[in-house]
Amino acid sequence: MFGVLSKVKKRDIYSLLFKRGQYEQFCTIKENDIVKVHKKQLEVLKLLTDSENIEICYGGAAGGGKSWIGCTWLLFMSLNYPNTRWFIGREELKRLRESTLQTFFKVCTAYGIAEVEDYKYNGQDHYIQFTNGSRIDLLDLKYLPSDPLFERYGSVEYTGGWVEEGAETEFAAYDTLKTRVGRQKNKEYGLLRKIFVTCNPKKNWLYYEFYKPFVENRLESTKKFIQAFYFDNPFLDSGYGDALSSIKDKAKRDRLKDGNWEYEENKNVLCSYDAILDVFDMTKGEVQPSGKRYISADLAMQGRDKFVAGVWEGLVCTVAIDQEKANGRSIEADLKRLMLIHKIVPSRTISDSDGLGAYLESYLNGIKEFHGGASAINKKEYVNLKSECAYKLAELINDRKIKIICSESQRSFILEELGLLIEANLDDDEKKKRIIKKEEMKSYLQGRSPDYLDMLIMRMYFELVKERVKVYSI
C-alpha cells in the first residue's frame, strides 16, 4: 500500500484535495510543530468555488497573500476542468509578466505542477496552455482612447477570471470582462461564473462598488468583499510590517500597511470623496431637474481627446454626447440637434475655444465661447476663468447641489476626473487661486484627457455670471 501511495504525484494529490473542497491544505504552514492557517485565503477559496457568489473582491494592505491565492485558484480550476478558459488581467501586461506571472510559476512549483508536462507558457501571445486543453490568457487592461469600453475583449468567452491590482484598472475593463465569464464549459461542469479582483485601497470604482456598500451592509447578494491585512498572512517574514511602517508618505502608508480605505486625501483636493459619490445619487439632497436649460460641450476633432456634451436642467446634468471620433460638421449637427430637442437657445450653450469653438460660433450664432485662460470674473481671487469655474463646481459639489445622470462606465471616468479638482501648490509670492494644470491631470489619468471635467467646469460660467448680475443689482 505504501509503495502505491509513494507513486502518486504531488500534483494529483493537491488536485484531488482542491476538487473535494479541502482548501486548508492550500492555506496552511507548519513551523516548529506549530500549524498556522491563513484564514482569509481559506475564506476566499471557498467563495471562489461556491455556487452563490459571482464577484469577489479581496482588497486591502500589501502582503496579504492576494496574488498567491489568485494563482492557486486559476491553476487548480484549469487542471480539474479540462478545456476551460480563464484570464488574468492587469493594467500593464509588462508588470503582469514581471510580477503576477512569476508568482504563478512559484505556485506551480509548490504544488508539483511541471512545465512542459502539465503546461506551457506562450510568451509571444501571452497565455498559459495546459495539456488538458485548459488555458489562461494574460490580458493587458490598459486604457486605450481608441477602445474606451474595452470592446477588444467583448467577443472572448471565458469560464472565469481575475483582475489583479484592480485599483490601477478602469471600471470599463472590469465591466466588460464580467460579461465574458460563465461562457466556456460552465454549464457542462456546473460552474458558476466568477470574476475575482484583488487590490490595494483606492477611492475609485472599487470603493463604491465593493468597500462602501460592504461597510454600510448593503452589498449585493452575489458580491463579497474581504478586507486584507498584512498581519493576516502567517507566511510573511517578521520584518515585513516594519518595512511597511517605513513608508514616508502617510496616505500610501495608510493604504499599504493598514489597508485603510478611508485614507487621508490630498490636502489640496477641493471636493470630499463622499460628496463626489453623492453627485450620482438622485435620492440625496434636494436637487432635481428644474429651471433653465443649458448645454456645455468639450469639443474634439478626430484624433483628439473626446467630444463630450451635457444637457443641463438647472444643476442636473445628463451626459448626452460621448464620442471618440468627430469632425466639425458632425459636432455642429449634433449640437444643433441637442439645442432643438431640448429647446436650448444659443446664448445658454457654451463650448471650449480651441479653434473649433471659434468655428462653431460662426455657424451657431450666439453660443458662448469658453476661454479658460481668460481673466477671472473675480480677478483678485483667481488666476484665470477656468480656475474660478472649477472652484465654483467644487463648492456646489460639496454643498450637494450638483447631480449627474450618466452610464456606469461614464460614472467611473467622471468620478476619477472630479477627484482632480485640486488646488495647485502656490508659490510664496502667488496669492491667486488656481487648479492644477491639464497636463498634470493627464498624468494622473495615465494620458487620458479630463474631458468630462472640462464639460462640467464650463457650465459654471453661467452660475458665475448670474452671481455677478446679483451683486451689481444690489
Side-chain angles (χ1 to χ4, degrees), residues 54-56 87 161 163 174 177-178 193-197:
I54 296 170
E55 300 175 60
I56 296 97
F87 71 81
V163 176
Y174 182 79
L177 287 170
K178 71 181 182 182
R193 67 189 189 277
K194 299 276 183 176
I195 186 162
F196 183 40
V197 55

Side-chain angles (χ1 to χ4, degrees), residues 244-424:
L244 293 175
S245 296
S246 69
I247 297 173
K248 300 296 183 185
D249 183 88
K250 185 180 185 302
K252 188 174 182 180
R253 187 171 66 251
D254 284 351
R255 292 172 56 244
L256 300 185
K257 177 179 180 290
D258 301 325
N260 182 10
W261 289 78
E262 303 292 355
Y263 56 90
E264 184 179 341
E265 298 174 270
N266 184 330
K267 64 180 180 180
N268 291 342
V269 170
L270 299 179
C271 300
S272 75
Y273 195 75
D274 283 343
I276 292 174
L277 287 178
D278 287 346
V279 160
F280 306 98
D281 190 344
M282 294 296 292
T283 67
K284 293 187 177 180
E286 300 178 357
V287 183
Q288 295 297 324
S290 63
K292 293 180 179 179
R293 294 179 180 177
Y294 301 87
I295 292 173
S296 58
D298 186 58
L299 310 178
M301 295 291 280
Q302 189 166 344
R304 273 194 68 254
D305 306 335
K306 298 179 76 170
F307 169 30
V308 175
V311 173
W312 297 76
E313 288 190 66
L315 291 173
V316 177
C317 174
T318 299
V319 179
I321 297 176
D322 186 343
Q323 297 176 7
E324 286 296 326
K325 295 180 180 180
N327 55 50
R329 285 183 178 275
S330 68
I331 288 174
E332 177 190 343
D334 286 338
L335 284 179
K336 278 184 176 179
R337 176 179 55 81
L338 280 186
M339 293 165 69
L340 182 64
I341 292 172
H342 298 282
K343 299 178 181 178
I344 299 172
V345 297
S347 61
R348 292 205 293 270
T349 300
I350 190 166
S351 68
D352 56 308
S353 60
D354 62 352
L356 185 56
Y359 157 83
L360 277 179
E361 202 277 334
S362 64
Y363 285 90
L364 300 176
N365 189 36
I367 70 169
K368 301 296 182 184
E369 193 179 334
F370 186 82
H371 298 269
S375 296
I377 293 172
N378 184 346
K379 297 183 179 70
K380 292 183 178 180
E381 190 169 356
Y382 301 97
V383 72
N384 56 34
L385 180 61
K386 183 173 183 178
S387 290
E388 186 175 13
C389 288
Y391 273 81
K392 184 63 183 177
L393 177 62
E395 174 194 322
L396 294 176
I397 289 172
N398 286 328
D399 289 343
R400 270 63 173 186
K401 292 181 178 178
I402 293 277
K403 296 296 177 186
I404 300 173
I405 300 170
C406 61
S407 69
E408 284 289 314
S409 294
Q410 288 167 339
R411 177 173 73 157
S412 175
F413 291 130
I414 295 169
L415 185 96
E416 193 172 15
E417 292 179 23
L418 287 175
L420 297 177
L421 286 169
I422 301 173
E423 181 178 47

Side-chain angles (χ1 to χ4, degrees), residues 10-291:
K10 185 177 181 180
R11 171 201 63 190
D12 297 331
I13 294 172
Y14 278 107
S15 292
L16 182 60
L17 289 170
F18 190 94
K19 198 162 189 177
R20 286 179 174 177
Q22 294 176 269
Y23 304 124
E24 292 83 358
Q25 302 300 321
F26 300 88
C27 311
T28 302
I29 188 172
K30 188 174 182 181
E31 290 181 345
N32 301 321
D33 294 327
I34 298 175
V35 176
K36 298 179 180 179
V37 180
H38 195 316
K39 294 179 181 179
K40 292 283 179 70
Q41 284 188 342
L42 181 58
E43 180 184 359
V44 168
L45 275 183
K46 289 178 179 178
L47 292 172
L48 288 170
T49 52
D50 68 16
S51 57
E52 299 173 11
N53 298 287
I54 296 170
E55 300 175 60
I56 296 97
C57 176
Y58 187 22
K66 300 183 292 292
S67 297
W68 185 276
I69 212 64
C71 291
T72 300
W73 171 56
L74 288 185
L75 172 61
F76 284 101
M77 293 301 286
S78 298
L79 289 171
N80 280 317
Y81 301 98
N83 300 307
T84 51
R85 189 170 181 180
W86 311 81
F87 71 81
I88 306 173
R90 191 166 176 175
E91 191 271 336
E92 189 177 346
L93 183 60
K94 181 175 182 290
R95 291 164 66 192
L96 196 163
R97 294 198 316 265
E98 292 175 349
S99 179
T100 314
L101 183 61
Q102 302 311 309
T103 300
F104 180 86
F105 292 149
K106 291 177 183 177
V107 170
C108 288
T109 301
Y111 297 119
I113 316 301
E115 192 171 4
V116 179
E117 182 181 348
D118 297 311
Y119 73 92
K120 290 182 180 178
Y121 169 58
N122 185 316
Q124 182 174 347
D125 295 320
H126 313 297
Y127 64 86
I128 301 162
Q129 182 69 54
F130 292 84
T131 53
N132 68 355
S134 293
R135 169 170 159 163
I136 301 173
D137 291 343
L138 307 185
L139 305 184
D140 187 329
L141 302 185
K142 188 171 185 177
Y143 174 85
L144 300 175
S146 60
D147 184 26
L149 299 180
F150 294 82
E151 292 173 339
R152 59 190 183 270
Y153 301 124
S155 61
V156 188
E157 297 184 344
Y158 289 109
T159 313
W162 167 31
V163 176
E164 167 77 310
E165 298 294 349
E168 302 170 354
T169 306
E170 297 283 1
F171 173 76
Y174 182 79
D175 203 34
T176 296
L177 287 170
K178 71 181 182 182
T179 69
R180 309 316 305 163
V181 298
R183 304 171 70 96
Q184 177 69 16
K185 299 287 185 180
N186 294 73
K187 187 175 181 180
E188 180 179 327
Y189 290 121
L191 298 174
L192 186 65
R193 67 189 189 277
K194 299 276 183 176
I195 186 162
F196 183 40
V197 55
T198 52
C199 60
N200 298 127
K202 188 173 181 180
K203 290 181 179 177
N204 62 0
W205 62 273
L206 289 160
Y207 182 93
Y208 67 75
E209 284 285 327
F210 288 100
Y211 174 75
K212 193 171 178 65
F214 168 74
V215 297
E216 294 178 351
N217 199 30
R218 57 178 179 83
L219 197 61
E220 295 172 39
S221 59
T222 57
K223 288 184 176 181
K224 283 290 184 292
F225 172 82
I226 301 91
Q227 173 71 54
F229 297 106
Y230 78 90
F231 50 75
D232 290 327
N233 190 348
F235 315 141
L236 280 179
D237 293 335
S238 58
Y240 191 78
D242 293 335
L244 293 175
S245 296
S246 69
I247 297 173
K248 300 296 183 185
D249 183 88
K250 185 180 185 302
K252 188 174 182 180
R253 187 171 66 251
D254 284 351
R255 292 172 56 244
L256 300 185
K257 177 179 180 290
D258 301 325
N260 182 10
W261 289 78
E262 303 292 355
Y263 56 90
E264 184 179 341
E265 298 174 270
N266 184 330
K267 64 180 180 180
N268 291 342
V269 170
L270 299 179
C271 300
S272 75
Y273 195 75
D274 283 343
I276 292 174
L277 287 178
D278 287 346
V279 160
F280 306 98
D281 190 344
M282 294 296 292
T283 67
K284 293 187 177 180
E286 300 178 357
V287 183
Q288 295 297 324
S290 63

